Amino acid sequence: MATTVFAVDISLSMAKSFSDLVPSKLEAVLDSVLTASKRLIENRGRVGLVVYAAWAVPIVFPTTNLRAIYNAVSNIDRTYEGSAPGDAIVESVKLLRSIKDSNKRIVLVTDGDYNIGVPLGHSLLYARSMGVETSILLLGSIASSALGKFHTRYKEYAEWVEISNKRELLAGLLKHVEGS
Amino acid sequence: MLWVFTVDISKSASEHRGWIVESIKSVSSRCEGTLYSLVVYSGRALPLIEVSPSPMKVIHYLESVESLPGVPEPVRGVVEAAEIVNHYTSGRSAESRIVLYWSMPKKPRLPVKLAPTIASSVGSDLSIVALQYTTPKWARKHDLGPQEIYIYKRRMRPSDLPRRLGCT
């Protein structure tokens, strides 16, 4: 059984639209996460969910209960200051540490802000030491984002994917579901 | 026996990194142990290796990790270490020991005297390896908690640490 933790950026900038991600990046991401979760669970996988801004909080522990994920997602109705993707990865790894599956993955979805918290490199090192694969789906250009500055340095620690529209976002999320 | 090495990686601890690595090598070769963990901390803390049978993995990660900003908060390090101990030993009879390295550059915000309480709450012994050569001026004994848990680096070679930790 595969377990995937989606770590979703809910910082203020996610309230804006981007390309066809409307009415906001956040709403489009949550829609896509639900679709991917449904597919993953149908494929006998488990899903966990972490949200982050200046802090990171696990809101769904790894589960096969799609209703729990729907309920959690429907409670995310606003965005918050700050952006700490390193903390999100640490919290996601902690969610996965009790899971015995060989296939454990974090998919972090962000528009690339990064201004506070645990250094990204440290968190990716932790994920790697725990046997957790990490993918970073970045809405927009890697080169022009704050997070993208770390791409060259840590490109071997995570899979980095640029997302320019909703179709690519869903494809990016489903890629791991179908590969599991 | 689970050893949780909890290492200050603030800038003020950089000069001690080589000494710390050597001391971990000594402890892992001369003290009884089957599992090893690595927590790093400065103003905040995070685990890098939760458990591994390989002390060399701990050493490799410690050598490669970059310094963290901020004033080191040893209590935050102990909290992360205690989480690991709790997660991997609860319900089992495994013994554990937390060895915390601390550069003591400034008085931390969280009271260090809480650290042994946190460690003992998960059934773990705590030793603090103080990387200062003398007790810093800001430190008063009552701020630091019981002095028995402190091992000062002064005139101590890394290879002396196992003996100071009571390993035969």
Side-chain angles (χ1 to χ4, degrees):
Chain A
M1 187 183 269
T3 304
T4 303
V5 173
F6 294 113
V8 177
D9 179 355
I10 58 167
S11 64
L12 292 177
S13 58
M14 291 292 285
K16 296 176 185 164
S17 62
F18 166 71
S19 178
D20 61 351
L21 304 180
V22 290
S24 68
K25 286 177 266 188
L26 180 59
E27 286 195 41
V29 166
L30 292 175
D31 274 352
S32 300
V33 164
L34 280 177
T35 305
S37 299
K38 184 170 181 291
R39 186 78 64 85
L40 183 61
I41 289 168
E42 284 169 357
N43 284 5
R44 301 172 61 81
R46 261 187 300 244
V47 173
L49 190 57
V50 168
V51 292
Y52 76 95
W55 29 260
V57 179
I59 58 169
V60 179
F61 284 70
T63 182
T64 55
N65 181 353
L66 192 59
R67 175 57 54 192
I69 300 164
Y70 273 110
N71 289 344
V73 164
S74 61
N75 280 326
I76 302 168
D77 56 0
R78 57 165 292 197
T79 52
Y80 299 84
E81 278 191 31
S83 189
D87 292 54
I89 291 171
V90 169
E91 289 304 322
S92 301
V93 176
K94 286 181 175 176
L95 278 188
L96 289 164
R97 65 179 164 195
S98 311
I99 305 291
K100 304 293 182 212
D101 301 339
S102 56
N103 188 350
K104 295 189 273 192
R105 176 176 288 277
I106 297 166
V107 181
L108 183 128
V109 190
T110 176
D111 63 358
D113 276 354
Y114 176 24
N115 49 32
I116 199 166
V118 171
L120 189 69
H122 291 66
S123 64
L124 291 173
L125 202 58
Y126 175 42
R128 180 192 262 195
S129 83
M130 294 292 285
V132 176
E133 291 181 41
T134 305
S135 298
I136 298 172
L137 306 189
L138 207 149
L139 310 177
S141 152
I142 290 174
S144 61
S145 70
L147 200 61
K149 282 189 245 171
F150 300 88
H151 170 250
T152 309
R153 210 153 148 198
Y154 300 118
K155 61 184 174 190
E156 290 170 10
Y157 288 47
E159 178 194 35
W160 296 70
V161 184
E162 279 185 352
I163 301 293
S164 42
N165 54 48
K166 193 163 185 179
R167 184 182 55 79
E168 288 182 10
L169 172 61
L170 197 54
L173 293 167
L174 289 176
K175 175 185 167 191
H176 308 298
V177 172
E178 287 165 351
S180 62
Chain B
M1 169 74 106
L2 168 65
W3 289 86
V4 186
F5 296 106
T6 306
V7 180
D8 176 352
I9 58 164
S10 65
K11 296 220 168 18
S12 60
S14 298
E15 63 182 290
H16 303 286
R17 190 77 70 89
W19 190 94
I20 295 168
V21 165
E22 289 304 314
S23 71
I24 291 175
K25 283 181 188 169
S26 292
V27 170
S28 60
S29 65
R30 288 167 48 198
C31 299
E32 184 191 350
T34 50
L35 290 172
Y36 302 90
S37 299
L38 175 63
V39 170
V40 294
Y41 75 97
S42 178
R44 44 194 315 151
L46 78 157
L48 282 188
I49 298 172
E50 294 216 343
V51 290
S52 170
S54 166
M56 290 314 294
K57 187 174 177 185
V58 169
I59 288 158
H60 173 69
Y61 272 64
L62 188 55
E63 285 176 330
S64 62
V65 73
E66 292 173 31
S67 296
L68 283 171
V71 175
E73 292 283 347
V75 169
R76 293 199 191 280
V78 171
V79 168
E80 285 293 341
E83 268 195 44
I84 290 175
V85 170
N86 193 42
H87 189 74
Y88 288 96
T89 66
S90 59
R92 283 172 263 165
S93 59
E95 292 178 17
S96 62
R97 184 130 189 203
I98 298 169
V99 180
L100 182 131
Y101 295 84
W102 180 25
S103 61
M104 307 176 93
K106 285 183 183 171
K107 186 175 180 177
R109 282 194 298 175
L110 301 175
V112 186
K113 61 185 174 187
L114 293 178
T117 310
I118 296 164
S120 66
S121 73
V122 292
S124 191
D125 290 329
L126 171 68
S127 297
I128 296 179
V129 182
L131 298 169
Q132 289 279 351
Y133 296 97
T134 56
T135 309
K137 282 182 185 165
W138 59 259
R140 295 180 191 164
K141 283 187 177 174
H142 67 269
D143 290 329
L144 296 178
Q147 283 297 296
E148 310 86 81
I149 64 171
Y150 285 82
I151 299 169
Y152 282 86
K153 184 186 168 188
R154 183 174 45 190
R155 292 192 216 103
M156 186 170 76
R157 289 172 301 186
S159 57
D160 291 336
L161 188 59
R163 181 178 57 78
R164 301 289 297 275
L165 290 170
C167 304
T168 52

